[in-house]
Amino acid sequence: MTEFQPERKTMRIAVASQNFEDVTGHAGMARRFIIFSAEPGQPPREAKRIELAKDQTIHSADPEADHPLDEVEALIASSAGGGFVSRMAQRGVMTVITSETNPAKAVADFLSGKLAAPAPHDHDRDHEEEGGCCCGAGAH
């Protein structure tokens, strides 16, 4: 787990949240994100909310075009497929999967290096809905 780098002035972290209340999964198809801003020595704060058009989901977006999530350094979700993780990495964004459901707590825990591990999941469902499992457990 990467901890917050104190030499950085501000870090922006997106949290997938379809209802703007809970950390949600299916990150490649997610359309709603809470963007948090974190500064060294201060608790993270909600900076804004993003609602993407259907054609702006990472699953549908042009990987070469600018994207609203390009402004973040990390993205937290409860599930994401390998394709999503790869696409975000190409954009310079680290994807972090967690079982934590509270967006603000997930960000604070991520910054302190104490973010809860992802919940166990159904590999077949992940393949079908997320375009592949990202857990690395076995060959699928």
Side-chain angles (χ1 to χ4, degrees):
M1 179 68 57
T2 301
E3 289 189 35
F4 183 53
Q5 305 290 319
E7 64 274 5
R8 297 181 82 153
K9 291 187 178 197
T10 302
M11 183 176 192
R12 288 171 312 280
I13 301 156
V15 177
S17 181
Q18 287 303 100
N19 61 7
F20 291 125
E21 294 179 19
D22 301 302
V23 177
T24 56
H26 307 288
M29 298 299 290
R31 294 181 53 202
R32 293 182 177 159
F33 297 87
I34 303 170
I35 308 299
F36 287 86
S37 180
E39 297 180 24
Q42 299 196 11
R45 63 177 177 75
E46 183 178 324
K48 66 180 179 177
R49 295 176 179 200
I50 294 177
E51 187 159 355
L52 303 174
K54 286 182 183 180
D55 65 346
Q56 289 181 305
T57 65
I58 294 298
H59 178 76
S60 299
D62 177 352
E64 303 299 320
D66 289 340
H67 192 275
L69 292 174
D70 289 346
E71 72 178 80
V72 303
E73 287 80 31
L75 187 142
I76 299 171
S78 64
S79 69
F84 177 85
V85 174
S86 294
R87 287 183 201 118
M88 294 310 291
Q90 290 171 349
R91 294 181 172 280
V93 178
M94 173 182 20
T95 302
V96 183
I97 308 304
T98 186
S99 59
E100 176 56 57
T101 59
N102 179 293
K105 183 171 183 341
V107 171
D109 289 352
F110 167 71
L111 293 170
S112 68
K114 299 176 183 175
L115 186 60
H121 58 275
D122 179 340
H123 290 261
D124 292 332
R125 186 202 73 217
D126 286 350
H127 278 294
E128 181 180 320
E129 295 177 8
E130 289 289 327
C133 179
C134 64
C135 74
H140 296 283

